[in-house]
Amino acid sequence: MGMTDVRRPRADRARQVADVLRREILYGRFRQGALPLEGVLAREFGASRNTVREALGLLREEGLVDRVPGVGTTVAGEKYPHGLHKLLGLAETLREHGEVTNEVRTMSVIVPPAAVAERLRLPPGEQVVYLERLRSLNGLPLSLDLTYLVREVGEPLFDADLTCNDIFVLLEGIAGQPLGMAELTLEAVNADPHTAAVLAVPRGSALLMVERLAHLADGRPVDLEFIRFRGDRLTMRGHLRRDQEED
């Protein structure tokens, strides 16, 4: 793509280059670890070397690449894909990338906030199981999950192996039926100091905040989760279809 329009600020052109390079990094174009030289990238993008250098600086600030004098630019760390087109647990989603383990930070029976009870269609004052887990992939902290479960399916989890199993798989066994659908909200938030320490990221780091309400196949909501994913190690992917309107 030619980017020689001198009327556009270089920062705008750099952002444009960074977006395409980010995508190529995430999809494994540079599996050997090294990106092409700045001059090669400049020709590829039809941009100046200064624009490419600025784009690489943006990716370095995101933690995607390292820039070492005399060595060049290398991929700093892999981002793992989390699909949005199918309801899966984290271990199911990332199975091909390694082992997901869960550290249970707290698990108790509580009276939930009214807003949580409402989402789970519970009467005021009815207790739920509250579960907080730090989830890691190959030992790397990946997400902090806060989960509210209706007691019917949540209480049996006290006797389950939560270290190596997805909640979704356990819930289906307990309920005797599969999960059906989930409502999902995805936002960007900055890591508060405590969350940053738990996830081993700098304060203020970008996180992907997912609120997910999972229903059983019969339509009952049973699992409300607030999940904070490390923004530097996870990317959301999905397929959207624009259906043809009926005549």
Side-chain angles (χ1 to χ4, degrees):
M1 67 185 179
M3 299 176 59
T4 55
D5 185 351
V6 295
R7 294 169 298 179
R8 296 182 65 217
R10 189 171 73 203
D12 287 350
R13 298 196 298 268
R15 187 185 308 109
Q16 187 179 354
V17 171
D19 284 349
V20 177
L21 280 176
R22 184 187 303 104
R23 199 268 182 197
E24 293 193 291
I25 291 170
L26 297 182
Y27 279 80
R29 173 187 168 188
F30 311 113
R31 293 196 180 278
Q32 302 304 314
L35 274 66
L37 297 175
E38 289 178 1
V40 174
L41 291 173
R43 287 193 298 273
E44 179 180 335
F45 285 94
S48 70
R49 291 186 62 155
N50 283 340
T51 296
V52 168
R53 189 172 298 122
E54 193 166 326
L56 294 173
L58 293 174
L59 297 176
R60 182 183 59 78
E61 291 175 7
E62 294 177 21
L64 271 184
V65 301
D66 287 325
R67 306 201 65 204
V68 181
V71 175
T73 305
T74 59
V75 177
E78 186 176 2
K79 267 198 174 187
Y80 303 101
H82 191 300
L84 289 176
H85 52 281
K86 190 173 182 182
L87 183 57
L88 295 172
L90 191 65
E92 294 174 305
T93 300
L94 301 180
R95 179 176 287 120
E96 65 185 89
H97 298 282
E99 181 184 13
V100 172
T101 55
N102 311 303
E103 175 194 332
V104 177
R105 293 172 52 80
T106 186
M107 187 174 185
S108 59
V109 177
I110 67 168
V111 175
V116 170
E118 183 178 348
R119 296 295 308 282
L120 291 171
R121 298 182 197 161
L122 298 174
E126 184 161 331
Q127 294 178 316
V128 299
V129 172
Y130 174 71
L131 175 62
E132 186 172 312
R133 294 168 297 159
L134 171 62
R135 315 197 68 188
S136 300
L137 177 65
N138 301 326
L140 177 79
L142 200 60
S143 71
L144 180 63
D145 296 17
L146 281 55
T147 306
Y148 300 86
L149 299 147
V150 298
R151 289 181 67 179
E152 177 185 342
V153 297
E155 287 190 337
L157 295 178
F158 280 96
D159 299 319
D161 175 12
L162 297 177
T163 302
C164 299
N165 286 298
D166 277 335
I167 291 288
F168 282 175
V169 176
L170 296 170
L171 289 185
E172 290 180 322
I174 292 167
Q177 62 174 296
L179 291 166
M181 57 82 74
E183 302 161 40
L184 191 75
T185 301
L186 178 63
E187 298 182 82
V189 300
N190 293 326
D192 60 88
H194 180 62
T195 300
V198 172
L199 290 175
V201 296
R203 293 185 180 191
S205 294
L207 304 178
L208 291 172
M209 176 75 179
V210 173
E211 179 194 326
R212 182 172 62 197
L213 178 64
H215 301 248
L216 293 175
D218 65 12
R220 287 183 298 156
V222 291
D223 177 332
L224 176 61
E225 295 180 90
F226 297 88
I227 308 168
R228 291 167 173 82
F229 288 110
R230 280 180 55 165
D232 64 337
R233 287 295 173 261
L234 202 93
T235 182
M236 294 290 182
R237 297 181 187 173
H239 302 278
L240 302 177
R241 186 179 66 202
R242 185 177 173 93
D243 289 328
Q244 295 292 325
E245 293 185 7
E246 296 182 4
D247 294 331

